[in-house]
Amino acid sequence: MMNAHNDLSQRTVRRKVLVVEDNDLNREMLCAVLEQQFDTIQAQDGFAGLDALAEHQAELSLVLLDVYMPGCDGFDFLRSMRADSRFDTLPVIVATASDSVDDELLCLKLGANDFVLKPYNSEIIMNRVTNMIRLRESAAIVNQLTWDETTGLYSRELFFRTVEDFLTANPDGEYDLVCSDIDGFSVLSDRYGSENCDELLRELARNLSDAIPGCIAGGRIGADAFAFLVEHRQAWPAEAPQEALDNLPVPNVSLKFGVVEHVDRATAVSIACNRAMRALETVKGRHGLLVAPYDDDLHQRQELEQTIRETMEDALDGLQFEVYYQPKHDAKTGTIRGAEALVRWSHPTIGFISPGLFIPIFERNGFIIKLDMFVWEEACKEIKRCEDRGLPTIPISVNASRLDFDNPDLPERICELADRHGIDHAFLHVELTESAYAENPDTVVRMLGEMKSLGFSTELDDFGAGYSSLVSLNMLPLDIMKLDMSMVRQATATGDFRIIESTIKLAQVLGLKTVVEGIETAEEAQRVTDMGCDLIQGYYYSKPLNRDDFEEYLKRG
C-alpha cells in the first residue's frame, strides 16, 4: 500500500492558524512570526474568535489563544469551542503571562493542548505550532488508515487506498465496484438497539464477503454502507445474493446494491463509490428492484440534476423561467373561461428542461417556494395586462406546492401581490393537489379558508391521479375539482367513462364545478360535456401558450 506522507515540509498547502489576542501589538507580532510558514486569521477578542472559528472551521489547523481578554476570555472561548463537536480535533495552544497552576489546570480541563508563555519567544512559538499541527495530522492519517472495529472490513480511507493500489498493481484486470446498504437502517437501529445492529453489520460484512463472487476487498464506507472490489462479471443479477441475509440477528433485512462496472483507473475510488451509491438510490423504496447499475444514462441525468441545482437561482434572476397559460373552455359553449399558469424553463446552454424533471428537485430542496411566488406574480401581471389592453379578463389558476403551506403568511402574501397589481381577487385561483392536503390537512384547510374569505377561488388539482380521498372533498373549502388527464387516457383506452361520469356527479352533489384535463379529441369533449362537465382543458382547444400567443388567443375569442 502506498505510504502516507505527513511531513509538513513536503506539503505545498499553507495551514491556517487563528490568533485570538486582544493586545494589538502582541497580535501583530505573533502573526508576523507565524506568517513565515502559515496563513493567519486575526481576532481581537474571544467573541470575534468564535465568529472566525465558525466561519473558517473547515480551513483551520490550530488556534493560538490568549487567556485574559475583556468580554469573552480564553476560558469562555474554550468552553464554547469544545461544546461544538466540529472542533473536537482542532488543537489549541494557550498563551498567558500567568504562571498560575490553577489557570493551567483549568485550561487543560477545558480542552487546551499546549501552552506558551509571554513575553513571546518567536522560535518557541514556531516549533510549538509546527509540532502540534504535525501531531494532529499524523493522528488523522492513522485514524483514517485503520480497520473498521465493528465489521472487521477496511475503514473508508483504507479501502480507497487499498483498491487504488490493487488497481495500479493489476493494470490488465477488469474489475467492478459494488456498494450496498440496508433499507431503513435508522428504523432498525431505533427498534433493535445499537448492540443488535452492530452485530447485524458484522454478520452482513462476513456474509457479503463470502457471497459476492470474485470479492477482492471490502470496506465499510458509511454507517450501514459497504463497498467491495470484485472481479468483473458479464451480468449482475437483478437480485442480491440471498445467502447474505441468512441467520441475521435482526429480521426482515433488505439490501440494495449499486454497481459500477469496469472501474476506470483514472477515476478516484471515492468517486466510483459515490456513483455506485447514487445508482443504489434509484432502487430504494422500490419493491423487487434490488440491484442498479451506474450507466451513461444515469450519469447524464444526475449531471443534469446537479446543473439544475447549481443554476436555479441565476435562472430565476436571469428570467430564464417563463409562464405559459393553458386555456380552459366552457364545455357547452366553447367560450374561454379561464387558464392555468404553467412554468417553463429555457436554459441558455441546455435548452428546454422539462418541468417533470426540475419541479421534483425544487420540491426537495425548497426552491419551489421562490418559483411559485414568481408564477403568482406573473399571473397577477398578466391579468392586469389583459385588462389594460381591453382583452377578456378571465381567472388564472396557479399551483400551490405543499411547501407553500408551510408559510402561515401565504394568504397575506398572495393578497398583497394581487392588491399591488390592482386585480380583483376573483380572477386569481389557488390550485392544490391532494398530496399537499394529506401531509398537513389542518393547516391546508385553515389557509384555504382564509384565501376564500379574501375572495380567491380554490381548486383541487389532479383528482383521480393516484391517491384520491373522498374525505378530502368533504373537508376542504373548495370551489372547483379538476379531473386528472390520466382518467381521460384510461377511459379512452378502455371505452369506459363511468368513473369520470360518477366523479362529475359527485362534484355536482358537493356543489363543485368540474374541469376535465387532457381532452384531445372532439369525441372526448362531447362525452364529458354530456356528462355535465363545466370546463374543458386540453389540446383539443389549445396547448399551453406563451404570453404573446395567449393574448392573441384571447383577442380571437
Side-chain angles (χ1 to χ4, degrees):
M1 185 169 58
M2 197 178 300
N3 290 326
H5 298 286
N6 64 347
D7 190 340
L8 289 175
S9 64
Q10 294 181 2
R11 297 176 182 259
T12 58
V13 178
R14 285 170 64 90
R15 284 19 178 199
K16 286 188 179 178
V17 176
L18 171 61
V19 178
V20 186
E21 162 70 71
D22 66 318
N23 184 287
D24 294 341
L25 185 61
N26 283 343
R27 190 172 65 253
E28 294 293 340
M29 187 273 286
L30 282 171
C31 290
V33 170
L34 292 169
E35 284 171 358
Q36 300 171 44
Q37 187 170 331
F38 305 101
D39 290 336
T40 60
I41 299 169
Q42 298 187 35
Q44 73 274 16
D45 57 39
F47 290 122
L50 290 171
D51 290 341
L53 193 66
E55 181 179 355
H56 301 282
Q57 56 96 9
E59 313 162 42
L60 292 174
S61 294
L62 182 136
V63 177
L64 188 56
L65 174 69
D66 187 21
V67 172
Y68 291 104
M69 296 178 289
C72 175
D73 60 20
F75 303 119
D76 291 333
F77 180 95
L78 283 168
R79 289 187 185 95
S80 298
M81 175 181 171
R82 293 311 188 197
D84 190 329
S85 60
R86 293 177 299 171
F87 310 120
D88 283 346
T89 62
L90 183 61
V92 179
I93 296 178
V94 172
T96 177
S98 170
D99 58 358
S100 168
V101 174
D102 290 340
D103 286 353
E104 187 171 338
L105 283 173
L106 180 55
C107 286
L108 289 170
K109 287 178 180 179
L110 293 174
N113 301 90
D114 199 0
F115 292 85
V116 290
L117 292 175
K118 296 180 181 179
Y120 296 122
N121 180 298
S122 60
E123 191 172 352
I124 289 176
I125 288 172
M126 283 298 294
N127 278 285
R128 293 280 178 92
V129 170
T130 300
N131 289 340
M132 187 60 68
I133 292 176
R134 180 182 287 119
L135 182 63
R136 181 209 189 196
E137 294 186 348
S138 297
I141 292 173
V142 170
N143 271 344
Q144 289 173 345
L145 301 180
T146 56
W147 298 84
D148 177 60
E149 293 182 2
T150 301
T151 64
L153 297 176
Y154 290 126
S155 69
R156 177 185 175 90
E157 292 299 326
L158 184 53
F159 175 77
F160 293 161
R161 291 170 184 255
T162 299
V163 170
E164 287 171 356
D165 289 347
F166 180 88
L167 294 174
T168 300
N170 296 272
D172 299 324
E174 291 292 334
Y175 304 98
D176 299 340
L177 193 68
V178 181
C179 288
S180 71
D181 77 355
I182 302 169
D183 250 2
F185 181 72
S186 60
V187 176
L188 295 178
S189 183
D190 289 342
R191 175 170 293 183
Y192 297 104
S194 59
E195 187 173 333
N196 282 324
C197 284
D198 282 349
E199 182 60 26
L200 168 64
L201 293 172
R202 273 190 291 274
E203 290 296 323
L204 272 179
R206 185 181 303 114
N207 292 356
L208 288 170
S209 299
D210 294 337
I212 295 178
C215 183
I216 296 166
R220 184 183 180 190
I221 62 171
D224 62 317
F226 302 114
F228 299 91
L229 181 70
V230 302
E231 296 173 356
H232 173 67
R233 57 189 305 181
Q234 291 303 314
W236 282 93
E239 294 186 358
Q242 291 304 304
E243 58 267 36
L245 304 179
D246 293 340
N247 302 316
L248 296 177
V250 171
N252 302 319
V253 173
S254 172
L255 289 178
K256 301 290 187 179
F257 291 80
V259 180
V260 172
E261 298 183 74
H262 303 288
V263 176
D264 182 4
R265 288 164 174 80
T267 301
V269 175
S270 59
I271 293 176
C273 283
N274 287 340
R275 290 175 177 174
M277 292 300 293
R278 292 206 298 270
L280 181 156
E281 289 293 327
T282 65
V283 292
K284 276 203 167 181
R286 301 175 66 183
H287 178 70
L289 294 176
L290 304 178
V291 180
Y294 185 87
D295 55 23
D296 288 341
D297 289 342
L298 179 59
H299 177 74
Q300 290 172 9
R301 180 181 177 88
Q302 292 182 337
E303 287 291 312
L304 176 56
E305 289 180 354
Q306 183 60 30
T307 299
I308 286 172
R309 285 187 287 269
E310 290 176 354
T311 60
M312 60 189 187
E313 293 280 1
D314 290 340
L316 188 58
D317 293 339
L319 303 180
Q320 295 172 24
F321 291 104
E322 185 177 0
V323 176
Y324 278 52
Y325 302 91
Q326 187 168 28
K328 303 174 187 177
H329 285 259
D330 187 288
K332 293 180 179 178
T333 66
T335 307
I336 184 168
R337 295 296 186 194
E340 180 181 5
L342 301 165
V343 68
R344 298 291 184 259
W345 185 0
S346 181
H347 194 280
T349 57
I350 298 173
F352 176 78
I353 302 177
S354 168
L357 179 59
F358 68 78
I359 293 293
I361 294 173
F362 294 167
E363 287 178 336
R364 289 194 296 270
N365 66 18
F367 187 71
I368 192 67
I369 297 172
K370 285 187 178 181
L371 186 61
D372 282 351
M373 292 312 298
F374 165 78
V375 177
W376 282 108
E377 181 145 27
E378 288 299 301
C380 290
K381 290 178 181 177
E382 183 59 18
I383 293 169
K384 183 61 175 174
R385 178 180 163 90
C386 290
E387 182 181 310
D388 291 344
R389 296 186 63 192
L391 297 172
T393 305
I394 59 173
I396 293 179
S397 59
V398 180
N399 289 283
S401 161
R402 61 179 179 80
L403 294 182
D404 291 330
F405 290 95
D406 290 340
N407 178 9
D409 298 327
L410 179 64
E412 288 75 12
R413 290 192 68 184
I414 296 174
C415 186
E416 186 274 330
L417 275 177
D419 293 345
R420 174 151 47 89
H421 291 284
I423 66 169
D424 189 326
H425 293 188
F427 290 111
L428 203 57
H429 289 197
V430 182
E431 284 195 23
L432 80 154
T433 60
E434 283 189 294
S435 60
Y437 165 75
E439 287 198 11
N440 202 350
D442 293 339
T443 299
V444 171
V445 168
R446 176 181 58 78
M447 293 174 73
L448 282 185
E450 290 180 25
M451 291 179 191
K452 279 180 66 68
S453 69
L454 291 168
F456 302 106
S457 290
T458 57
E459 302 185 14
L460 181 63
D461 195 17
D462 297 339
F463 187 85
Y467 170 81
S468 291
S469 169
L470 297 181
V471 174
S472 66
L473 293 179
N474 195 41
M475 297 295 296
L476 287 167
L478 297 170
D479 299 301
I480 298 170
M481 177 201 294
K482 296 184 71 176
L483 280 66
D484 188 71
M485 67 178 65
S486 62
M487 296 180 71
V488 177
R489 298 284 77 76
Q490 184 179 21
T492 301
T494 61
D496 187 348
F497 279 72
R498 287 179 298 173
I499 293 178
I500 291 180
E501 184 174 14
S502 298
T503 304
I504 291 172
K505 288 180 178 178
L506 173 63
Q508 291 171 343
V509 169
L510 295 171
L512 304 178
K513 289 187 175 181
T514 51
V515 180
V516 180
E517 298 179 295
I519 297 297
E520 296 183 352
T521 67
E523 181 184 1
E524 290 174 347
Q526 188 60 55
R527 294 197 72 161
V528 299
T529 299
D530 292 342
M531 293 173 189
C533 166
D534 296 297
L535 299 171
I536 289 173
Q537 181 179 346
Y539 277 43
Y540 173 64
Y541 279 109
S542 175
K543 65 182 180 179
L545 305 169
N546 65 28
R547 188 188 71 182
D548 292 339
D549 290 342
F550 175 63
E551 292 177 6
E552 183 63 30
Y553 191 86
L554 286 174
K555 187 184 298 183
R556 295 200 310 267

